[in-house]
Amino acid sequence: MSPLASSFLPTPANAAAPAPGGSAPLRSTPRVLAIAGSDPSGGAGIQADLKSIAANGGYGMAAITALTAQNTHGVRAVHVPPAGFLTAQLEAISDDISIDAVKIGMLGDSAVIAAVRSWLGKARPAVVVLDPVMVATSGDRLLQKAAEEELRELLPLADLITPNLAELAMLLREPLANDWEAALAQGKRLAAQAGTTVLVKGGHLEGGACPDALVNTEGLLAQDVVVVPGARIDTRNSHGTGCSLSSGMATAQARLGDWEASLRAVKPWLQGALREAEALEVGTGNGPVHHFHHLAPKGQDALAAGEFAEALRQDAGPDLDDIYGLDFIRGLADGSLTEQHFAYYLAQDAIYLNGYSRVLSRAAAIAPTEAEQLFWARSAQQCLEVESELHRTWLSTRNVDAALGPVTKSYVDHLLASSVSGSYGVLVAAVLPCFWLYAEVGATLHGQFQAAGSPSGHPYADWLRTYADEEFAAATREAVRITDDAAQAASEVERQAMRLAFRQSCRYEVDFFDAPRVHAEPQSVPEPVR
């Protein structure tokens, strides 16, 4: 992004996510209702749903469909209360509270399914995620066989369906998929039958990879299949994984309004929950995941002030080298950059700033001190002011392609995912490269411009001079300090997640500067920027 008009902020791209279904407004703290069974051991069901909703930044509510007697070794008994009492729970909630998203889990029998179906028709929540709980990972049946057809009829009322592979096969009346391609094929068939989006999960397959995929054949996704890769976490503690994923997706979707962005936000969090599950030491069987791993208290691994910031500086070194080697940067410095390339860059920058401001607003909302809240809020406001200035003084006077570019979208999706990770440290680490790398590159370019005697006739002279803005440099130093402070207060696991988020953003900065070469058709003669 460009620091025109004495901006606080740096460079790159983004667009605000649409509301779910194109109607309901997105919420920073979505109100999410889980309709599911209870697990007294706390690992799955309603208990896992409420933890997952909270971990992903939502306010959780619960309507109980069934009571189970279970522990980490399996289900011993199931009791399904009268369906009329479930209806009373649902109506009591929706009569008083606006519901932004609903996650549906264990339903138990036909009468319960009918009650949920009737209530959905009346309440019409904006986001509905259905986890068609039919059989537990342990092999225990959690839905009466006579109710399977009623469950199939409920599928079209969901916006997202999240079956495990056994449930996917049961819903289709087909054999269990034994590889990823077969699972995707089944997901496509179920999506076509239900007319909705299916999340195909690779967790029960063999091998080191653990991909997940959003599948839809009705044109509701940018592509029919969106695969999000991942590594398998070697742990026996996976109790409640499916419940946690589906309720996390409902919460993220109510915030982001985009299923792909939601999956890219929830999947890393759930991988961390699996990775850190052993630390809980709950049960002697298949233990629960660690929903709040990102909030774990710091141990004896204290950092000195500035130590983490220096590690980030080392991490960014290769990406800075790559940026300086780009044709875009060399052309910007010597004035040979075509106006078409520069125009594409600024157009994407304007889009990015709009979305980046939303991410910074999220940082302001969860910052631990008033000073940091004010810093991020002012930065978010400056983003919008710079975006407006770009349109007023430059983009409005030229014929520029203002469509959202692929790099811009990917970068913003990554930032949005970081904003719903539940970790303030991960969020500030993810937004930092847009300050830090931009300031570093800007200072270098401005120094080269001055060393060349600030040549007259340079088409980007006015723009390069803005790099000397001390207010932006001061804001960058403050962003670095805040990130370093957050790392000192974080656990080692969270610090690792912070470094990963930072490195990913650094790579997107490189791609953002290079995007004009890849996606813009150049013109031969640059015109001065006025």
Side-chain angles (χ1 to χ4, degrees):
M1 86 165 229
S2 47
L4 299 178
S6 293
S7 121
F8 267 104
L9 289 175
T11 278
N14 170 348
S23 56
L26 302 179
R27 302 236 348 144
S28 59
T29 307
R31 298 154 294 195
V32 184
L33 171 63
I35 305 172
S38 173
D39 173 10
S41 75
I46 283 292
Q47 287 82 350
D49 290 332
L50 291 176
K51 294 171 188 175
S52 177
I53 292 166
N56 284 280
Y59 173 78
M61 301 169 284
I64 309 296
T65 61
L67 304 175
T68 69
Q70 66 174 295
N71 55 28
T72 61
H73 290 277
V75 179
R76 297 183 178 183
V78 177
H79 171 66
V80 181
F85 186 69
L86 173 61
T87 297
Q89 293 180 71
L90 295 171
E91 291 180 347
I93 295 170
S94 57
D95 285 350
D96 177 48
I97 302 171
S98 296
I99 300 170
D100 301 303
V102 171
K103 174 267 168 82
I104 302 171
M106 178 182 177
L107 296 178
D109 63 22
S110 298
V112 170
I113 294 173
V116 171
R117 183 186 184 110
S118 175
W119 177 80
L120 287 175
K122 298 172 185 176
R124 299 188 181 280
V127 176
V128 177
V129 176
L130 173 59
D131 185 11
V133 176
M134 304 171 77
V135 58
T137 302
S138 61
D140 300 298
R141 175 171 278 277
L142 299 175
L143 178 71
Q144 294 179 6
K145 191 171 183 61
E148 288 184 11
E149 192 56 41
E150 285 86 347
L151 182 62
R152 291 186 184 94
E153 294 175 359
L154 190 63
L155 301 183
L157 299 183
D159 300 297
L160 180 70
I161 307 169
T162 65
N164 61 33
L165 293 185
E167 291 158 349
L168 181 58
M170 292 171 70
L171 289 170
L172 290 168
R173 302 184 183 89
E174 295 179 0
L176 181 69
N178 56 15
D179 60 40
W180 181 238
E181 292 305 318
L184 283 180
Q186 286 192 335
K188 291 178 183 179
R189 288 194 288 275
L190 184 60
Q193 290 180 19
T196 191
T197 304
V198 175
L199 177 58
V200 179
K201 301 179 290 187
H204 289 170
L205 295 173
E206 299 294 330
C210 186
D212 293 312
L214 293 162
V215 178
N216 190 287
T217 59
E218 302 294 315
L220 299 179
L221 297 169
Q223 303 170 352
D224 285 348
V225 178
V226 177
V227 178
V228 178
R232 185 174 305 281
I233 306 300
D234 185 16
T235 178
R236 65 179 176 85
N237 300 308
S238 59
H239 186 48
T241 304
C243 305
S244 302
L245 176 60
S246 55
S247 51
M249 287 294 290
T251 307
Q253 180 68 6
R255 184 197 305 281
L256 303 177
D258 181 276
W259 287 118
E260 181 181 352
S262 296
L263 181 57
R264 293 188 184 279
V266 174
K267 186 175 177 70
W269 163 77
L270 188 57
Q271 287 180 309
L274 287 163
R275 188 179 299 111
E276 299 300 317
E278 188 175 352
L280 293 177
E281 299 182 348
V282 174
T284 57
N286 178 22
V289 304
H290 193 340
H291 294 88
F292 300 109
H293 61 93
H294 53 301
L295 302 178
K298 181 172 72 171
Q300 302 302 313
D301 50 351
L303 290 179
E307 184 178 348
F308 189 76
E310 179 57 32
L312 294 186
R313 183 181 294 277
Q314 297 296 323
D315 288 344
D319 297 302
L320 277 170
D321 291 341
D322 288 347
I323 288 174
Y324 291 133
L326 295 176
D327 291 341
F328 178 90
I329 294 298
R330 290 197 292 263
L332 185 62
D334 63 20
S336 64
L337 183 69
T338 67
E339 181 177 291
Q340 187 72 7
H341 281 146
F342 188 66
Y344 180 88
Y345 169 78
L346 287 189
Q348 293 303 305
D349 202 28
I351 297 172
Y352 171 85
L353 289 173
N354 182 276
Y356 190 60
S357 70
R358 295 173 182 265
V359 176
L360 295 180
S361 294
R362 172 62 180 162
I366 65 175
T369 68
E370 182 178 352
E372 291 179 22
Q373 290 171 0
L374 290 172
F375 172 78
W376 296 121
R378 285 195 299 266
S379 298
Q381 178 183 0
Q382 191 70 27
C383 272
L384 296 177
E385 291 174 354
V386 172
E387 178 201 11
S388 176
E389 182 71 6
L390 280 173
H391 283 289
R392 185 180 67 82
T393 62
W394 210 87
L395 297 175
S396 64
T397 64
R398 292 162 172 83
N399 183 20
V400 178
D401 180 7
L404 174 65
V407 174
T408 303
K409 182 182 186 304
S410 295
Y411 192 1
V412 171
D413 285 349
H414 161 63
L415 294 176
L416 290 171
S418 299
S419 76
V420 296
S421 67
S423 165
Y424 177 66
V426 169
L427 174 53
V428 298
V431 302
L432 181 60
C434 189
F435 282 88
W436 203 353
L437 268 65
Y438 192 90
E440 294 274 354
V441 172
T444 299
L445 290 181
H446 183 258
Q448 293 174 354
F449 179 69
Q450 287 186 312
S454 302
S456 59
H458 192 297
Y460 308 116
D462 291 342
W463 195 77
L464 288 172
R465 290 189 186 99
T466 64
Y467 283 120
D469 180 45
E470 174 52 32
E471 191 174 15
F472 173 60
T476 299
R477 291 192 292 271
E478 180 65 6
V480 173
R481 184 198 64 76
I482 288 173
T483 305
D484 190 71
D485 286 351
Q488 292 180 60
S491 67
E492 181 58 31
V493 171
E494 186 176 7
R495 288 177 197 150
Q496 292 174 8
M498 289 174 67
R499 290 184 70 170
L500 176 60
F502 177 82
R503 288 195 299 268
Q504 289 172 328
S505 291
C506 286
R507 197 64 232 169
Y508 280 124
E509 288 285 332
V510 179
D511 294 342
F512 193 83
F513 278 119
D514 196 36
R517 176 187 64 82
V518 179
H519 300 289
E521 286 297 326
Q523 294 175 349
S524 57
V525 181
E527 296 179 6
V529 178
R530 305 186 190 282

